[in-house]
Amino acid sequence: MTDITIRRALLSVSDKTGLADLGKALAARGVELVSTGGTAKALREAGLEVRDVSDLTGFPEMMDGRVKTLHPMVHGGLLAVRDDAEHAKAMADHGIGAIDLVVVNLYPFQQTVAKGAERDEVIENIDIGGPSMVRSAAKNHAYVAIVTDPADYALVASGSTTIADRKSLAAKAFASTAAYDAAISGWFAQVDQGEDFPASLSIPMTKKAEVRYGENPHQMGALYVPAGVRTQGIAAAVQLQGKELSYNNYNDADAALELVSEFRDGPPTVVIVKHANPCGVATGATLVEAYEAALACDSVSAFGGIIAVNRPLDGPTAEAISGIFTEVVAAPDADEAAKAVFAKKKNLRLLLTGDLPDPARKEKTIKSIAGGFLVQSRDFGMVAKADLKVVTQRAPTDAELADCLFAWTVAKHVKSNAIVYAKGGSTAGVGAGQMNRLESARIAAWKAKDAADKAGWAEPRTIGSAVASDAFFPFADGLLAAVEAGATAVIQPGGSIRDAEVIEAADAAGLAMVFTGMRHFRH
C-alpha cells in the first residue's frame, strides 16, 4: 500500500493542543471521528460530530475509564491486514470496521511524578489502552497512521497519508511507548522500590539537536535530553546568538556551568574553562571584577575559552569579555546592554540558562566503556567548615580557611590529579590531569608565576595562598612543592599511609593543614 485515504479516525489524547483544528480538518474531508471521554467532549465543544468508542464496541467505558478501548472492535480495526482475504472475512463476519488513523498521546505519567503526586495518583497515570492502540497502529503502519505528537498533525490533516509518513510516524510511536515504559520502570525501581541501581536500567531520551561533529571532525554527535521532563542546565539553555554549538562546546560549557553553580548563592563569580578544566575562577564585588581576576589567573588558556557567570550578565562585563576571543558565554540572564555588546561578536554564542542547577542534586552519571556502561551517583559531596579537621600544630586563619574552601570547591571540578592554589577568592594556579600529584603542584605554581610575569605583579598569587589537592598527598614531595610556591595553608582529604610524614613536613614549614575526609577524583 502507498497512499491511504482516511475514512475513520480514532482520537484519544491527554494533551488537547491542536485537537479542535485537527478534528475540523478531518471532518471537512468526510472523516468519521471516533473518540473517548474528555477527547470526545473537547471535539463536541468545538462543534464536531463524534462517535463514542462505547458505541463502536457495544460496551460502556467502565472501571473509572480503565477499560474502554481494549476491545476487538478497536484492535481488529487497527491490526487487520486489509488485502488479506482471511482478515477481510473476519472483519466482515464480526462487523469490524477499519480504522485508518489513530491520534493518541498518553497519560502524563512523568509530569505527575514531577509534581510530587502521591503513589495512587502516579499509578492512575499509567496509561494502558493508549500504548496498546499506539503499538497496534504502528505495527500495521502499512495501512494505519499513528500520531503521538501534536507537532505531526499536519501530516494527516489533509485526509490521506503516504507510506513514507506512516513509516516515520510508526518509528516515532514505538520510540514514544519505549520512553514511556522506561519512565514507568525507572519510577518503580528507583522511587517506589528505592533501588539506586536496578537490575534493568532504561533511560528515555529525546534528541534535541545534532552537532556538526563529535570531539573530532571524523566523529558524529547529537544532544539528547530526558524525555518528558523539564530540566535545567546547558542542555536546556536558550541560545541567543552565534553558530550552532559543537560537541566540545556543550561539554566545556557544562563544565563551566557546573562549577559556577557551586557559587550560585555566593558573591558575583566567573568561571573560565578550557578543555573541560577551569583555567580561572574568581569572585568579586561585581561580575566585571570577578572576570578580570579570573582572566588574570591564566590569560593564555582563556583565549578561545568558555565562560560561565552566576549573575545576570551586564554591559561592563560583556565589554570586558569581548576583549579576547571567547567561544561561549553562559549566564542565568543578560541585560540589553550585554546583548548589544555581544551582538557585535557574531561567532560568540550567548546561552541563557535561567536558574542555575542545584550543585547538590542527586543524579546518575553514565560513561560508556567497551562492552558496557559505568553508572555512578553524581559527585554532589560538599564540605563545610564544621567538617574540617585541623591536623597541624597551626590552625588556619579565617582568611586561609576561606581560601582553602574556595580552592577545594574548584578542585572538585578539575581533572585528576588536581592541584589548585587560591588567594583572596581567586584561583592563583591550576594543575590538572597529570599522572602524579607532584607535577600538578609544579605546573600550577609555574602557571601562577607566568601569570604574575604577564601582569607585572611583584610576586605570584601563590605567595600566601591556600592549596587544595583533590586526593591525599601520597608523599610529602607534592606538599613541599606547594611550600616552595609560597602556599601557607593546605586542604586535602587525608587518608594516606604516609599522612604522618606529610603532617610532619607541613609542621616543619609552618603550614596550616586541614583534612576533609572526602576526595574528589574526576577522570
Side-chain angles (χ1 to χ4, degrees):
M1 300 293 291
T2 54
D3 289 0
I4 295 288
T5 298
I6 302 171
R7 294 183 173 84
R8 175 184 286 172
L10 195 162
L11 304 93
S12 181
V13 296
S14 173
D15 179 0
K16 306 298 191 292
T17 302
L19 174 65
D21 289 339
L22 175 62
K24 290 174 183 178
L26 293 173
R29 289 161 177 80
V31 178
E32 179 187 14
L33 305 181
V34 181
S35 191
T36 63
T39 305
K41 179 182 177 183
L43 290 169
R44 289 190 178 107
E45 288 175 350
L48 296 168
E49 184 177 340
V50 183
R51 184 180 182 186
D52 288 322
V53 164
S54 58
D55 179 55
L56 185 73
T57 63
F59 276 85
E61 295 185 18
M62 62 182 69
M63 301 177 185
D64 298 319
R66 286 189 172 197
V67 179
K68 51 191 174 186
T69 60
L70 297 170
H71 194 280
M73 297 299 288
V74 172
H75 287 274
L78 295 177
L79 287 166
V81 176
R82 309 297 168 78
D83 52 2
D84 183 292
E86 290 188 7
H87 287 210
K89 183 178 184 303
M91 292 177 74
D93 289 347
H94 298 284
I96 298 174
I99 300 173
D100 308 302
L101 168 65
V102 176
V103 180
V104 169
N105 51 66
L106 308 177
Y107 293 170
F109 175 82
Q110 288 162 295
Q111 294 89 330
T112 303
V113 171
K115 73 178 185 179
E118 295 295 329
R119 188 178 191 278
D120 286 350
E121 184 179 353
V122 171
I123 297 300
E124 285 307 310
N125 276 277
I126 297 175
D127 204 332
I128 302 301
S132 298
M133 289 190 293
V134 169
R135 291 176 60 83
S136 291
K139 176 176 180 176
N140 205 27
H141 61 270
Y143 307 93
V144 183
I146 171 62
V147 179
T148 56
D149 184 349
D152 294 325
Y153 286 175
L155 294 177
V156 297
S158 66
S160 66
T161 60
T162 67
I163 184 60
D165 284 342
R166 294 195 300 277
K167 285 181 177 180
S168 175
L169 290 168
K172 190 170 184 177
F174 279 121
S176 73
T177 56
Y180 195 73
D181 285 341
I184 295 169
S185 67
W187 178 84
F188 267 105
Q190 297 171 35
V191 179
D192 193 57
Q193 299 299 307
E195 297 178 352
D196 285 333
F197 300 98
S200 178
L201 180 63
S202 300
I203 303 176
M205 306 291 283
T206 301
K207 185 171 72 174
K208 182 176 180 180
E210 290 191 8
V211 298
R212 288 173 296 165
Y213 51 81
E215 282 186 282
N216 300 290
H218 63 276
Q219 296 172 263
M220 300 172 66
L223 170 67
Y224 285 80
V225 296
V229 177
R230 184 181 177 186
T231 58
Q232 293 178 324
I234 286 299
V238 176
Q239 183 174 347
L240 289 196
Q241 66 170 68
K243 58 188 176 181
E244 67 185 63
L245 294 167
S246 70
Y247 180 98
N248 292 332
N249 291 153
Y250 276 115
N251 190 54
D252 290 348
D254 177 67
L257 189 70
E258 287 279 34
L259 175 47
V260 87
S261 294
E262 300 272 6
F263 300 92
R264 67 176 188 167
D265 298 322
T269 304
V270 173
V271 171
I272 307 175
V273 160
K274 194 69 172 289
H275 293 179
N277 275 304
C279 57
V281 183
T283 61
T286 63
L287 273 184
V288 70
E289 287 184 16
Y291 171 72
E292 289 168 350
L295 178 64
C297 179
D298 188 351
S299 58
V300 175
S301 297
F303 184 85
I306 310 287
I307 295 174
V309 301
N310 70 339
R311 292 283 192 282
L313 196 65
D314 55 70
T317 307
E319 288 282 4
I321 290 172
S322 296
I324 66 169
F325 171 57
T326 299
E327 289 272 9
V328 179
V329 176
D333 204 348
D335 64 22
E336 294 305 316
K339 293 176 185 177
V341 170
F342 284 157
K344 302 172 186 176
K345 299 285 185 178
K346 66 178 183 178
N347 288 328
L348 183 147
R349 292 85 145 193
L350 176 58
L351 304 180
L352 301 186
T353 64
D355 292 338
L356 297 177
D358 181 1
R361 68 191 187 279
K362 297 181 179 180
E363 297 177 344
K364 299 290 191 298
T365 67
I366 302 173
K367 177 182 174 59
S368 63
I369 60 174
F373 297 87
L374 287 172
V375 182
Q376 67 172 344
S377 59
R378 180 180 169 276
D379 183 1
F380 52 82
M382 294 184 176
V383 170
K385 288 182 182 180
D387 302 318
L388 302 178
K389 178 183 178 183
V390 178
V391 295
T392 48
Q393 296 172 5
R394 184 174 77 81
T397 65
D398 288 344
E400 287 175 328
L401 193 56
D403 284 338
C404 278
L405 289 171
F406 179 88
W408 178 252
T409 300
V410 176
K412 174 182 174 182
H413 294 264
V414 177
K415 299 292 185 180
S416 299
N417 286 314
I419 293 290
V420 176
Y421 295 93
K423 183 178 181 181
S426 299
T427 50
V430 179
Q434 298 306 302
M435 285 68 75
N436 67 75
R437 203 157 297 280
L438 173 61
E439 292 305 316
S440 287
R442 287 172 173 169
I443 289 171
W446 174 82
K447 282 179 172 288
K449 184 177 184 306
D450 186 61
D453 291 342
K454 285 182 169 60
W457 299 332
E459 61 184 21
R461 290 194 295 196
T462 50
I463 303 299
S465 68
V467 62
S469 174
D470 66 334
F472 60 66
F473 286 102
F475 301 96
D477 54 1
L479 181 130
L480 293 175
V483 172
E484 186 178 342
T488 60
V490 182
I491 184 169
Q492 60 135 320
S496 168
I497 60 173
R498 294 184 177 84
D499 274 349
E501 175 186 327
V502 175
I503 293 170
E504 182 180 356
D507 283 333
L511 294 180
M513 185 160 63
V514 295
F515 282 2
T516 64
M518 175 187 295
R519 78 176 189 193
H520 283 307
F521 272 161
R522 180 173 291 259
H523 292 106

